[in-house]
Amino acid sequence: MLLENPSKNQACSDRALVCKFDMSSSKVSFEKKPLFERSANGQFNFRMVWDGNKNVLLKATPFRGSTIKLSSLNSDYNIKELPLSQSSDPLVIKDPSGTFTVYNDKSQLIVEASGKKRVINLPKLYKTIIPYPLLVFGDENNYQVLVTFNTPSAETKGLIVGKLLLAKVTDKGINWQQVTGEYCSFIADEGASVAKFDDQIYITACGTVKTLDLKKEKLVLEDYKPINDILSTIKQKFQEAPIQLSFGVYKDYLLFTAQSSQEKWLWIMNKGALVGRIHIDSVNNRIESHVGQQSSLETLPGKPTFDMLILPTSLYGTYK
């Protein structure tokens, strides 16, 4: 969780604290020693890839005329900073090692794994489009990449929509599969959040959540009712803009968050059922947690930033 650091004078100064949620007692606790501190002037991009354990990758990129500095890195964790001097900016970072990345180069996808580069060309039918990788999973010799691109709608004149392709890559070659259906753009505005959990891919689309069942021969995005039903309970708080979601995975749990300017929510699911939830009141600096009939209310050890929640991912990488 990113909390403001009031002792600093920079325009933006905060610290990251590891938050632990005990599912047996419904209690939330914070490690006293920050994971890192961050200070900046101006605008910047920030990425953190975390396995939920001791391995963390940080990538901070200032915009022109801006500065950003990471400091006080916690030596109890294996923290790696991705250098700014890389020849290409990875859109997808698979894990905290930073050695498996995916990015685009015009109409090609470039996969770099352990210093080896592989060019993935799209099928001839799509050779003029610009592909954007959303998700990668697997190992360096046998992996899959979920790709999106924008295209004019075949159903509604004048509408630009997003479509998906899945590439299965092995030493023997590449097998492409098209996902049936068209949806709102997965890269417009803040883009889509994506997660892989077991044999399902979860992806946000137009303020709702859809799933892609990898066990099925034909790939079709379908509405995921358990999460969409949860989101319907807070939709009245998002009248001016669609709900922006973020996914994460930790051990046997699928995690997802939503936030408004004053409130933030975290839900924990297991086998399609809601097993825990956290509500954060940013105005009063309080965090309320629930598991079954148990609940706990604590005061946050600092004022939360807008992008305060960073979730762990496991066995997959995304571009957010």
Side-chain angles (χ1 to χ4, degrees), residues 11-273:
C12 172
S13 179
D14 51 29
R15 66 195 194 280
L17 296 182
V18 175
C19 174
K20 297 182 178 181
F21 183 25
D22 187 336
M23 295 289 289
S24 62
S25 66
S26 184
K27 293 205 176 281
V28 170
S29 62
F30 293 85
E31 292 189 0
K32 292 184 179 180
K33 186 178 181 180
L35 187 63
F36 60 87
E37 293 189 2
R38 184 179 69 172
S39 57
N41 284 296
Q43 294 182 311
F44 58 88
N45 283 330
F46 179 75
R47 299 276 298 276
M48 174 173 160
V49 180
W50 177 40
D51 63 0
N53 194 6
K54 294 292 186 179
N55 301 302
V56 179
L57 182 141
L58 304 175
K59 182 178 186 296
T61 307
F63 291 168
R64 181 175 296 180
S66 302
T67 61
I68 182 169
K69 180 182 179 182
L70 303 177
S71 61
S72 303
L73 274 59
N74 192 328
S75 59
D76 296 333
Y77 286 78
N78 177 26
I79 301 177
K80 179 179 179 180
E81 290 187 74
L82 204 61
L84 300 181
S85 58
Q86 285 197 337
S87 59
S88 56
D89 188 34
L91 294 178
V92 173
I93 305 172
K94 184 179 182 295
D95 54 52
S97 72
T99 59
F100 194 144
T101 63
V102 189
Y103 57 95
N104 57 3
D105 182 8
K106 298 180 181 178
S107 61
Q108 297 176 324
L109 291 176
I110 310 296
V111 178
E112 292 191 10
S114 298
K116 297 181 180 179
K117 182 184 293 187
R118 180 164 184 171
V119 178
I120 299 179
N121 291 304
L122 272 68
K124 291 182 179 179
L125 179 63
Y126 305 100
K127 65 180 181 180
T128 60
I129 68 169
I130 299 176
Y132 290 85
L134 294 179
L135 177 79
V136 62
F137 55 94
D139 58 43
E140 296 176 2
N141 299 311
N142 187 357
Y143 54 87
Q144 298 185 48
V145 184
L146 184 67
V147 181
T148 187
F149 60 93
N150 285 342
T151 185
S153 171
E155 301 172 2
T156 306
K157 186 177 180 180
L159 182 65
I160 299 297
V161 296
K163 295 185 73 70
L164 296 170
L165 296 170
L166 183 68
K168 296 182 179 181
V169 184
T170 66
D171 290 338
K172 297 180 180 178
I174 305 171
N175 178 39
W176 286 97
Q177 289 180 277
Q178 180 173 310
V179 178
T180 299
E182 60 179 39
Y183 305 89
C184 56
S185 171
F186 296 106
I187 54 178
D189 298 324
E190 295 186 26
S193 182
V194 190
K196 180 184 180 295
F197 188 56
D198 294 332
D199 290 319
Q200 299 282 335
I201 291 176
Y202 298 82
I203 184 167
T204 58
C206 309
T208 63
V209 174
K210 296 184 180 290
T211 57
L212 185 62
D213 191 341
L214 298 174
K215 300 189 301 296
K216 293 183 178 180
E217 184 177 350
K218 186 176 181 180
L219 299 179
V220 181
L221 274 176
E222 301 174 302
D223 288 325
Y224 188 62
K225 191 174 186 298
I227 291 181
N228 289 329
D229 285 349
I230 293 171
L231 296 178
S232 68
T233 64
I234 62 168
K235 65 180 181 180
Q236 72 276 5
K237 299 178 182 291
F238 296 86
Q239 298 296 322
E240 297 181 0
I243 300 175
Q244 294 291 340
L245 301 177
S246 292
F247 282 113
V249 170
Y250 178 71
K251 295 185 176 179
D252 295 327
Y253 299 105
L254 175 69
L255 318 173
F256 66 103
T257 70
Q259 65 179 38
S260 67
S261 60
Q262 298 183 337
E263 296 177 271
K264 297 166 177 56
W265 298 264
L266 167 64
W267 297 272
I268 302 99
M269 302 192 74
N270 178 260
K271 298 180 180 178

